[in-house]
Amino acid sequence: MSGRWKLMALPLLAAALCLYPPLVRAAEPPADEPAGEERTTTRPSEQPATQESEEGDSPATRSRRREGSFLKERGPEIIELTARHLLLAFMAMLLATLIAVPLGVALSRVRNEFTANLVLGVVSIFQPIPSLALVALAGALFLALGLPTIGILPGLVALVVYALLPILRNTFTGIRQVDSTVIEVARGMGMTERQILHRIELPLALPVIMAGIRVGTVWTVGVATLVTLIGARSLGILIFQGLSGGHIELILAGALPAVALALGLDLFLGRFEKWLTPTGLRSASGNGV
Amino acid sequence: MIVFEHVWKTYPGGVEAVRDLSLEVERGETLVLLGTSGSGKTTTMKMVNRLIPITDGQILVDDEDIMARDPVELRRGIGYAIQHIGLFPHMTIAENIGVVPNLLGWAKPDVDERVDRLLEMVGLPAEDFRDRFPSQLSGGQRQRIGVARALAGDPPIVLMDEPFGALDPITREQLQNEFLELESEIKKTILFVTHDVFEAVKMGDRIALMDAGELQQLATPKELVDSPANEFVDQFLGQHRFQLSLLTRTVRSILDAAGTDGRAPQQRPEDYLAVRSSLIDAMDLFKRTGRSEVPVYEGKSFRGMMTQRALLDAVSSVLGEMGGEG
C-alpha cells in the first residue's frame, strides 16, 4: 500500500534536515565571534555602538553606507541564526509529531468519549495561553527545577508543547472521520485491527494529519522567535536587539527571514500535503474523505 | 452450511434485536432475510461473521461453532458485500478486489489473475478498470466491484446486505439479473438481506421473513406468497400480492402445462425467455417486442415457443385464484 511509506516521509525528511551537514555547520556560531552568544542574548542594549560613529554624514548616505556595511558585518550571523531557527523549528516539529501522532492514534481508539475529550481538552489548555507567556512559563519551569535556562532545551520544550495540539487534534479527527462503513467492511473482510489502522485509517487520515503538521510548523516558526528570551538562539535575537536599540535593520534582519521561513514552509508543506493525499481522493474532493 | 440455534441478540438497555432464531441455510442456496428496518435481519447477518457478538444460542458454520473460531480467519472465509459498498477510496479497483486474496497470502500473479477474472465476470473489462479509483466509477459499476470483491477469495459463503439497495430501479434490476446468472455458475451459499419483497422473491431460493427480531415465516417465495403463515406476513405482502404471484410463477410452469411447440430458430435470438423467467418478465418481453409468440430456452437449449395467449391465460388464472381466496 502506498500510504504506509508516504507516512514515514515527513519524519525522515525532518530528521535528515536536522542532520544535514551544511545546515548544522551554518548553525554553529562563526568562529571569530566567540562571545557572540552571551552578548546577543543577555545584553542587547549594548549594540548601538556603530550608530554613533556615523554621526557626521547626511541621513541618506548614512543609511546607504550602513546598509552595505550592516549586511557585510552581520551577514554571517543572520545566516547562522536563520539556520538555527530552522533547525529549532524542525527539531520541535519532529518531536511533536513523534509524540502527537501515536497519541492521536491511541486517542482515536479510546471508546470512552469522555477520556478522549479530556486528553484533547488538557492539550487544548496550552493553546489560548499567549505564546510569550508559554515561553516564560517554560523558562520558569526550568528555573524551578534547577535546570539550565541557557541553551536550546527550554525553548525546545516550549515549542513542542505549542505544536502538539494541532497535530494531535488532526490525527484524532482525521482517523475518527474515516467512513465507519469502510472500516466495518474492512473488518468484515478479515483485516486485523492493526491492518485496518495501517491500510485503511492512516492512509485516509493522512491529508488531515498533514494539515495539522503544517499548521504546527507555521506556529512553531513564529514562536521560535520568542524562545530567544529563554536562551535558545534564533532569529528572535536580532529582532529583540533591534527593538531595544531602535535599530530597524536589525529588526528586519530578524523578521524578514522568519516571515520567509514561515511562508516558504507553509507553501512547501501544502505541496507535500497534496502529494500525500491518496490519488483516489484527489479527484473526488480536495481535503475530505 | 450455516445453522442458527436459538440465537438471541440483546443490546445493552434491553432491546432484543433477535429473539430465539433457529434456521438453517443449506449448502448452495440463497436464503433471503426479509423484513422492515428494525426487524433484526441485518443483525442476524452480522452475527454470522461475528461483526456483532451473539448474546445467547449458537451459530454453526460448516458444523463448527463460530465462537470457537478466530474471528479474523472466520471472516476471511466469508464474502461480505454491503449496500454502501464501502470500497476503499484510496485503493485502485484491482487493489480493492485483491484485499482478501492478499490477506489470505496468495502469490501476486494469482491475485492479479483472480482480479482480472472477477472483473470479466461482473462485466467490467479488466484493462479499463484495474487501475481506476472508486471515485471514477458510476454507482452501478461500484456495486459490481463490491460484489466482485466479496467473491474474490472464492469463499463458500457470501453475506450480502442490500447489495443493490443504493441503485436506481433500472440499474438494480440489471444487476439482480446479472447476479442471478453469475450465481447459477458459481453456486455459493448466500445469506442475502433486503427490505424489498420483490428483490427477495427474485433472488431467494427461500425467504425468511422477520419482524421485531422474530422469524415469521421461512418458505420458498411461492409458498410465502401463496400461503402466508400469519397475519403479519399477509400484511407485509399487502397490495403487492398479485404482482408477487406473477413473479413467483415461472415460464416453466406454463410450458409444462401447455406443452411445447418444436420449431426451433436457427440460433438463440436476442429476445427470448429463460425457463426460470417470471410471468412478469414474460409480460414485459411481449410488451416490448410486440410479438405474439417468443422462444423459450433452458440455458442454451430451445424448449419451445410460448404464445401471448398462453401467458394471458396463466395470468388470468392467477387472478382467479386470488379472487377465490377472498
Side-chain angles (χ1 to χ4, degrees):
Chain A
M1 314 285 130
S2 56
R4 266 188 293 177
W5 68 267
K6 277 187 176 179
L7 195 66
M8 296 308 298
L10 195 73
L12 286 178
L13 189 70
L17 275 172
C18 287
L19 297 173
Y20 183 56
L23 188 63
V24 176
R25 217 173 301 130
E28 299 297 329
D32 55 341
E33 259 184 277
E37 188 148 335
E38 213 173 313
R39 180 188 39 140
T40 46
T41 50
T42 52
R43 306 172 64 186
S45 52
E46 268 186 11
Q47 256 338 83
T50 43
Q51 222 170 359
E52 282 155 35
S53 64
E54 289 159 0
E55 211 69 48
D57 299 324
S58 74
T61 45
R62 195 171 64 196
S63 81
R64 206 183 313 123
R65 190 184 315 153
R66 202 165 55 186
E67 224 167 75
S69 64
F70 172 80
L71 274 184
K72 201 185 283 170
E73 194 185 317
R74 307 298 293 264
E77 195 189 351
I78 295 172
I79 293 174
E80 178 229 327
L81 290 175
T82 307
R84 273 184 175 266
H85 197 101
L86 197 61
L87 209 56
L88 189 63
F90 271 141
M91 271 153 65
M93 285 314 295
L94 188 61
L95 286 173
T97 306
L98 289 180
I99 297 169
V101 170
L103 190 61
V105 169
L107 214 54
S108 71
R109 289 288 177 275
V110 173
R111 303 235 164 181
N112 187 341
E113 287 298 314
F114 179 76
T115 317
N117 286 329
L118 188 74
V119 176
L120 278 179
V122 167
V123 180
S124 306
I125 286 175
F126 294 110
Q127 226 51 55
I129 298 180
S131 38
L132 187 58
L134 185 74
V135 167
L137 284 175
L141 178 73
F142 269 68
L143 278 178
L145 293 176
L147 296 166
T149 50
I150 292 294
I152 203 171
L153 211 54
L156 195 59
V157 168
L159 290 182
V160 169
V161 167
Y162 215 67
L164 274 181
L165 180 72
I167 309 176
L168 181 70
R169 194 179 44 202
N170 278 37
T171 305
F172 177 77
T173 50
I175 288 184
R176 278 288 175 97
Q177 64 150 36
V178 172
D179 188 352
S180 59
T181 56
V182 165
I183 292 171
E184 192 182 282
V185 171
R187 188 171 293 127
M189 292 170 83
M191 284 195 194
T192 61
E193 293 307 305
R194 206 188 163 77
Q195 286 166 333
I196 293 174
L197 177 67
H198 284 273
R199 298 185 187 189
I200 309 294
E201 289 176 299
L202 279 178
L204 288 175
L206 210 50
V208 184
I209 297 175
M210 198 48 226
I213 292 178
R214 183 175 157 194
V215 169
T217 305
V218 175
W219 287 1
T220 307
V221 168
V223 180
T225 53
L226 296 178
V227 296
T228 299
L229 297 170
I230 50 171
R233 285 170 63 78
S234 76
L235 288 166
I237 289 175
L238 300 174
I239 297 174
F240 284 115
Q241 274 177 22
L243 283 173
S244 59
H247 209 308
I248 295 177
E249 288 94 334
L250 266 180
I251 300 176
L252 292 182
L256 290 181
V259 169
L261 281 185
L263 290 180
L265 281 173
D266 189 43
L267 197 73
F268 168 74
L269 290 176
R271 292 271 168 85
F272 195 73
E273 198 178 308
K274 222 168 251 170
W275 176 74
L276 275 178
T277 305
T279 324
L281 299 182
R282 274 178 219 173
S283 44
S285 59
N287 233 352
V289 174
Chain B
M1 196 85 199
I2 310 174
V3 182
F4 293 77
E5 282 176 357
H6 302 288
V7 173
W8 290 76
K9 176 65 202 178
T10 314
Y11 283 106
V15 179
E16 291 175 333
V18 175
R19 300 160 58 95
D20 196 20
L21 178 74
S22 296
L23 65 84
E24 182 173 349
V25 188
E26 281 154 27
R27 189 176 299 272
E29 87 168 327
T30 301
L31 188 127
V32 176
L33 291 167
L34 175 65
T36 53
S37 53
S39 61
K41 57 190 192 304
T42 298
T43 306
T44 301
M45 191 198 78
K46 285 182 180 173
M47 285 192 289
V48 175
N49 63 358
R50 291 186 60 180
L51 283 177
I52 295 179
I54 309 171
T55 310
D56 200 12
Q58 63 174 356
I59 298 177
L60 308 176
V61 168
D62 264 336
D63 300 326
E64 207 182 336
D65 185 350
I66 58 166
M67 296 315 286
R69 295 187 56 183
D70 172 45
V72 166
E73 178 243 355
L74 171 77
R75 289 169 191 154
R76 288 179 187 175
I78 299 178
Y80 188 50
I82 62 168
Q83 172 179 6
H84 306 285
I85 316 170
L87 292 185
F88 305 131
H90 57 302
M91 296 185 190
T92 63
I93 298 310
E95 285 169 341
N96 263 287
I97 298 178
V99 165
V100 173
N102 276 318
L103 289 174
L104 292 170
W106 293 17
K108 194 177 180 304
D110 296 342
V111 178
D112 287 345
E113 199 191 312
R114 181 74 183 154
V115 167
D116 287 354
R117 259 205 52 210
L118 281 163
L119 279 170
E120 294 304 333
M121 217 152 95
V122 296
L124 301 173
E127 60 273 23
D128 274 4
F129 284 89
R130 280 191 72 94
D131 300 325
R132 290 209 207 170
F133 284 92
S135 57
Q136 298 165 320
L137 303 189
S138 71
Q141 288 168 338
R142 280 184 225 179
Q143 202 69 72
R144 286 188 176 92
I145 301 300
V147 170
R149 189 174 62 169
L151 298 172
D154 205 10
I157 297 173
V158 183
L159 307 179
M160 307 183 95
D161 188 357
E162 311 227 7
F164 311 127
L167 302 172
D168 63 88
I170 293 171
T171 315
R172 185 189 315 160
E173 188 165 345
Q174 192 185 343
L175 256 71
Q176 285 168 346
N177 290 336
E178 286 174 15
F179 187 73
L180 280 174
E181 199 118 315
L182 183 68
E183 207 270 322
S184 64
E185 290 165 32
I186 55 178
K187 266 301 161 202
K188 303 281 182 193
T189 304
I190 297 172
L191 194 57
F192 191 109
V193 167
T194 184
H195 66 270
D196 177 353
V197 61
F198 289 98
E199 185 167 71
V201 163
K202 186 163 186 175
M203 308 303 288
D205 294 319
R206 287 191 300 158
I207 296 173
L209 181 57
M210 293 183 69
D211 182 51
E214 287 184 37
L215 182 62
Q216 301 295 323
Q217 187 170 2
L218 176 62
T220 65
K222 194 165 185 311
E223 281 166 15
L224 186 82
V225 173
D226 289 349
S227 40
N230 58 34
E231 187 80 3
F232 173 81
V233 181
D234 201 39
Q235 271 179 10
F236 191 87
L237 302 175
Q239 74 269 40
H240 304 302
R241 291 285 291 284
F242 178 54
Q243 250 181 305
L244 287 168
S245 296
L246 296 179
L247 205 55
T248 55
R249 280 164 175 77
T250 59
V251 167
R252 189 195 301 274
S253 64
I254 304 184
L255 275 184
D256 292 346
T260 53
D261 188 340
R263 287 168 292 114
Q266 297 293 330
Q267 64 199 102
R268 195 168 79 175
E270 213 147 279
D271 296 315
Y272 71 96
L273 282 171
V275 284
R276 60 162 180 76
S277 307
S278 71
L279 296 192
I280 298 255
D281 295 332
M283 284 163 70
D284 282 345
L285 186 66
F286 277 112
K287 194 174 165 203
R288 188 156 52 79
T289 60
R291 303 225 189 97
S292 61
E293 56 176 20
V294 291
V296 178
Y297 282 81
E298 179 155 21
K300 291 216 161 59
S301 62
F302 178 70
R303 284 289 315 272
M305 299 296 284
M306 188 171 78
T307 62
Q308 195 171 14
R309 189 68 248 162
L311 177 64
L312 288 179
D313 286 347
V315 171
S316 58
S317 82
V318 170
L319 199 56
E321 279 170 35
M322 292 192 57
E325 275 167 31

